[in-house]
Amino acid sequence: MSDAKFELYYWPGIPGRGEFVRLVLEEAGADWVDVGLQPEGTKAVMAMLGKGPVPAYAPPVLKVGDLVISQAPNICAYLGERFGLVPSDEASRLHARQFQLTVADGVSEAHDSHHPIAAMKYYDEQKDAAKHRAEDFRTQRIPKFLGYFERVLKANPQGGGKYLLGRDFTYPELGLFQLVDGLLYAFPNAMRRIAPEVPAVMALHQRIRERPRIAAYKQSPRAQPFNQKGIFRHYPELDDPNATK
Amino acid sequence: MSDAKFELYYWPGIPGRGEFVRLVLEEAGADWVDVGLQPEGTKAVMAMLGKGPVPAYAPPVLKVGDLVISQAPNICAYLGERFGLVPSDEASRLHARQFQLTVADGVSEAHDSHHPIAAMKYYDEQKDAAKHRAEDFRTQRIPKFLGYFERVLKANPQGGGKYLLGRDFTYPELGLFQLVDGLLYAFPNAMRRIAPEVPAVMALHQRIRERPRIAAYKQSPRAQPFNQKGIFRHYPELDDPNATK
């Protein structure tokens, strides 16, 4: 399919769960290709799903030589460890994976806020249930997830409130950045309310956004914007009502 | 809290996500204690959540000496690798984690089948939405998850249709066992319909159930039965209707 060392297979047209992998590849400066964005990309992604001795349940799938792996948090951990985006001691690796998995749980709940009944049915078919689930997500779950990471940032004895792990940037910060970025897109009103409660998380989001490779990537044609087909969708009726003056 | 080498912190009273960890500890023959089942267990679990330099978002939490980690699939991978319940080559480890994560996705969806709107509200408050979500879960999602593992079992060139990975038992088979076990409890009618489509998965479930250490554990007072408070709940109105003759 290409000469790149790392091939990402993910649906074109949305950031989706593939974006968590893309951010690690970009931050690592890896030699990679987004197969879904190539000609016949969707076909290639579909073909990859059924193939090989270890099938994938769903994209993203990463192919590196003969190795084919799936599950976004698994791929992110593999790349983060391989590229030295986390210290190599066992505890750091396990804690980084723990954070990445907690980000992934938040991502799944963000998806279900607009699709609480059936992933394969249209939003319009589950609008009423979505209103209830989104209210719970905005008022209970977003504060709980982001509040957790706020506590992590403050509990890290070496991080000065800035780092999830140890005394420097690690790859799960890319995941937390993307989760916050998606929430800002989908729930701008709710996030205006919640952000002051989680200042360290919001500062981390800003720092990651300004990392040179992440900033360059997000402005490149390789980055796909949020839209109404992805995990993070902006339906005004699912957000907090507009603040009245 | 105890002299055991491995301390599991999980809510007492339900198998829950803790059960995925318990099964690996039992199969490994580890020296472990279920802190939640000790006197004042719930208090100890709650205290563990806020504590330490790397807080946990939720139980299960595993404490091994100074190491404290959370997220069930992360703990299972740590234990499975440490106890040699997966080959030590990189590909096997990554694929085992991929399977464990896919099991965890199925577990989350099983939970949401009775709680599609709000995790902290009662089932009775979301019964109507649950009916719709459970129907989708039974007709679309269970067949998709179990069908995936059926394909994995058949695609493994060394496994003779019996093993997820390589030529022998590996720890994610414990997770798949528990997922199937929970589905059989929660959705007996639906599983009667689905089981014939996934014979290799059902045979794996039976083999794991008969493994000496798993069988002994499940009959011991350490094992807590499924009930109406856990992830897998049997509400007849959420299952397939009873077959008519």
Side-chain angles (χ1 to χ4, degrees), chain A residues 45-57:
Chain A
V45 175
M46 292 189 67
M48 178 49 83
L49 282 184
K51 240 177 15 198
V54 184
Y57 179 77

Side-chain angles (χ1 to χ4, degrees), chain A residues 56 151 192 233:
Chain A
R151 282 194 290 128
R192 252 191 301 280
R233 305 188 188 182

Side-chain angles (χ1 to χ4, degrees), chain B residues 11-32:
Chain B
W11 308 124
I14 56 169
R17 286 183 171 83
E19 193 69 4
F20 294 87
V21 178
R22 292 186 192 103
L23 289 171
V24 185
L25 288 163
E26 290 287 335
E27 177 62 34
D31 171 27
W32 76 286

Side-chain angles (χ1 to χ4, degrees), chain A residues 49-58 67-74 77-78 81-82 90-91 93-95 97-99 101-103 105 108-109 112 115-121 128-130 132-137 140-141 144-145 148 151-152 155-157 164-165, chain B residues 49-58 67-74 77-78 81-82 90-91 93-95 97-99 101-103 105 108-109 112 115-121 128-130 132-137 140-141 144-145 148 151-152 155-157 164-165:
Chain A
L49 282 184
K51 240 177 15 198
V54 184
Y57 179 77
L67 180 69
V68 176
I69 58 174
S70 65
Q71 281 281 0
N74 189 38
Y78 164 77
E81 293 171 16
R82 175 163 176 162
E90 183 176 53
R93 292 191 166 197
L94 289 165
H95 289 141
R97 292 180 204 158
Q98 166 182 328
F99 297 145
L101 287 170
T102 307
V103 165
D105 286 345
S108 287
E109 294 197 20
D112 284 9
H115 272 71
I117 301 298
M120 297 305 288
K121 287 188 178 164
D128 290 342
H132 294 291
R133 173 121 189 188
E135 189 193 342
D136 185 75
F137 185 62
Q140 307 297 321
R141 306 301 286 175
K144 191 172 174 195
F145 277 108
Y148 166 68
R151 282 194 290 128
V152 168
N156 175 4
L164 289 177
L165 203 60
Chain B
L49 282 184
K51 238 171 26 190
V54 184
Y57 179 77
L67 180 69
V68 176
I69 58 174
S70 65
Q71 280 281 359
N74 190 37
Y78 164 76
E81 293 171 16
R82 177 165 173 159
E90 183 176 53
R93 293 190 164 197
L94 290 165
H95 289 140
R97 293 180 203 158
Q98 166 181 328
F99 297 146
L101 287 170
T102 306
V103 165
D105 286 346
S108 288
E109 295 197 20
D112 284 10
H115 271 71
I117 301 299
M120 297 305 287
K121 287 188 177 162
D128 289 343
H132 293 292
R133 173 123 187 186
E135 188 192 341
D136 185 75
F137 185 62
Q140 307 297 320
R141 307 301 287 175
K144 192 174 171 190
F145 276 109
Y148 166 68
R151 281 195 289 129
V152 168
N156 174 5
L164 288 176
L165 203 59

Side-chain angles (χ1 to χ4, degrees), chain B residues 26-205:
Chain B
E26 290 287 335
E27 177 62 34
D31 171 27
W32 76 286
V33 62
D34 203 330
V35 176
L37 293 183
Q38 308 305 305
E40 309 269 336
T42 303
K43 233 190 233 174
V45 175
M46 291 189 68
M48 178 50 83
L49 282 184
K51 238 171 26 190
V54 184
Y57 179 77
V61 176
L62 185 76
K63 186 171 183 317
V64 195
D66 288 339
L67 180 69
V68 176
I69 58 174
S70 65
Q71 280 281 359
N74 190 37
I75 300 173
C76 291
Y78 164 76
L79 291 170
E81 293 171 16
R82 177 165 173 159
F83 283 103
L85 303 179
V86 60
S88 61
D89 63 287
E90 183 176 53
S92 294
R93 293 190 164 197
L94 290 165
H95 289 140
R97 293 180 203 158
Q98 166 181 328
F99 297 146
Q100 191 75 37
L101 287 170
T102 306
V103 165
D105 286 346
V107 171
S108 288
E109 295 197 20
H111 170 272
D112 284 10
S113 71
H114 52 78
H115 271 71
I117 301 299
M120 297 305 287
K121 287 188 177 162
Y122 290 108
Y123 166 63
D124 279 345
E125 298 177 70
Q126 45 203 310
K127 243 177 142 164
D128 289 343
K131 242 187 135 156
H132 293 292
R133 173 123 187 186
E135 188 192 341
D136 185 75
F137 185 62
R138 283 183 281 112
T139 59
Q140 307 297 320
R141 307 301 287 175
I142 299 179
K144 192 174 171 190
F145 276 109
L146 299 189
Y148 166 68
F149 283 111
E150 185 78 11
R151 281 195 289 129
V152 168
L153 287 164
K154 289 181 173 153
N156 174 5
Q158 304 179 305
K162 288 174 69 177
Y163 301 113
L164 288 176
L165 203 59
R167 53 185 85 244
D168 205 349
F169 164 84
T170 52
Y171 73 86
E173 294 186 4
L174 299 168
L176 180 54
F177 158 79
Q178 181 66 13
L179 173 60
V180 170
D181 219 48
L183 295 173
L184 287 167
Y185 169 78
F187 302 102
N189 291 348
M191 286 299 284
R192 253 192 300 281
R193 166 175 53 79
I194 295 164
E197 311 289 324
V198 290
V201 167
M202 300 313 292
L204 180 146
H205 171 262

